[in-house]
């Protein structure tokens, strides 16, 4: 086991966008996994509304949307089936809402084709379509711009900033320089916290 960072303190509130940056291997994904409750810290604590995260699993699941570095979709399912299945884990979505979300990410006409026939960028868009459905206020996103074209990047930047401006929260890792950020934007460079 290797210590990645120490003495790191951060807070995310309504309207905030927190970008986690730093060199490869500095712990960006590990920090996101800690915040999402997918890993436990070896020292220190992660709190949700002032209480230990471990004691609030149901509250965390209700308030957090995690999209990891991998698309996290099933290749044999269609985009519609993937979104229906993923939404059923927290809050089921109507077919019309799923189709609207897919249209919002540029996948109109691809709703019912197997995902293994889609390009890497289109598969990423299937995963990101979850951001266009009614869902949790906190979005934790690991490299969400991976495989997106320029138009997709610009659209996602706009959508993330808009989510924060409506009172949502975004924590993300990216090596991409964001052109559109909300007033509550800040960047934490884990390279400065490395041990």
């Amino acid at each position: 086991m290797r210590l990645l960072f120490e003495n790191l303190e951060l807070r995310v509130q309504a309207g905030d966008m927190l970008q986690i940056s730093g060199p490869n291997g500095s712990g960006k994904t590990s920090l996101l996994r800690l915040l999402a409750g997918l890993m436990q810290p070896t020292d220190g604590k992660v709190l949700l509304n002032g209480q230990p995260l471990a004691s609030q699993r149901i509250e965390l699941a209700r308030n957090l949307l995690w999209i990891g570095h991998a698309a996290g979709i099933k290749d044999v399912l269609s985009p519609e089936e993937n979104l229906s299945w993923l939404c059923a884990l927290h809050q089921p979505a109507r077919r019309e809402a799923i189709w609207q979300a897919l249209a919002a990410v540029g996948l109109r006409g691809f709703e019912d084709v197997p995902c293994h026939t889609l390009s890497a960028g289109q598969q990423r868009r299937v995963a990101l379509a979850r951001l266009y459905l009614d869902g949790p206020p906190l979005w934790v996103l690991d490299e969400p711009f991976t495989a997106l074209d320029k138009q997709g990047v610009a659209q996602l930047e706009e959508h993330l900033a808009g989510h924060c401006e409506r009172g949502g929260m975004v924590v993300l890792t990216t090596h991409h320089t964001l052109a559109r950020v909300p007033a509550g934007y800040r960047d934490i460079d884990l390279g400065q916290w490395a041990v």
Side-chain angles (χ1 to χ4, degrees):
M1 183 176 356
R2 181 170 71 93
L3 185 62
L4 296 171
F5 45 80
E6 63 182 353
N7 301 320
L8 177 63
E9 184 174 327
L10 58 92
R11 179 182 304 256
V12 181
Q13 301 178 95
D16 285 352
M17 177 185 286
L18 177 62
Q19 179 177 346
I20 309 296
S21 59
N24 292 337
S26 62
K28 298 181 298 292
T29 295
S30 294
L31 179 56
L32 291 188
R33 292 178 61 80
L34 287 167
L35 296 176
L38 300 172
M39 286 175 51
Q40 299 301 314
T42 55
D43 191 23
K45 55 190 170 186
V46 179
L47 303 175
L48 175 63
N49 299 323
Q51 300 297 318
L53 193 63
S55 67
Q56 298 188 77
R57 295 290 180 193
I58 294 172
E59 186 70 13
L60 178 65
R62 190 175 17 251
N63 286 289
L64 177 126
L65 173 62
W66 161 267
I67 299 179
H69 183 65
I73 59 173
K74 305 285 185 191
D75 285 346
V76 297
L77 298 180
S78 70
E80 179 185 348
E81 291 167 333
N82 267 291
L83 290 177
S84 180
W85 177 77
L86 288 166
C87 290
L89 297 173
H90 299 292
Q91 181 177 349
R94 296 181 344 274
R95 184 176 198 207
E96 298 78 26
I98 289 172
W99 280 45
Q100 287 174 357
L102 289 169
V105 296
L107 291 176
R108 182 178 313 230
F110 293 92
E111 298 89 355
D112 59 356
V113 300
C115 283
H116 68 82
T117 66
L118 302 177
S119 71
Q122 289 172 318
Q123 289 181 19
R124 171 58 71 177
R125 288 171 186 258
V126 172
L128 294 172
R130 294 169 63 197
L131 303 176
Y132 289 83
L133 295 164
D134 287 337
L138 174 58
W139 297 348
V140 178
L141 312 172
D142 193 6
E143 297 290 347
F145 299 100
T146 299
L148 293 181
D149 57 23
K150 287 182 181 180
Q151 179 184 351
V153 167
Q155 180 184 2
L156 180 56
E157 281 189 11
E158 188 66 33
H159 191 62
L160 297 178
H163 177 67
C164 293
E165 290 162 356
R166 292 184 297 275
M169 299 162 278
V170 175
V171 180
L172 76 155
T173 63
T174 183
H175 293 286
H176 169 75
T177 301
L178 298 172
R180 168 79 162 88
V181 296
Y185 170 84
R186 64 191 192 284
D187 183 3
I188 293 182
D189 182 353
L190 286 186
Q192 297 177 357
W193 298 92
V195 291

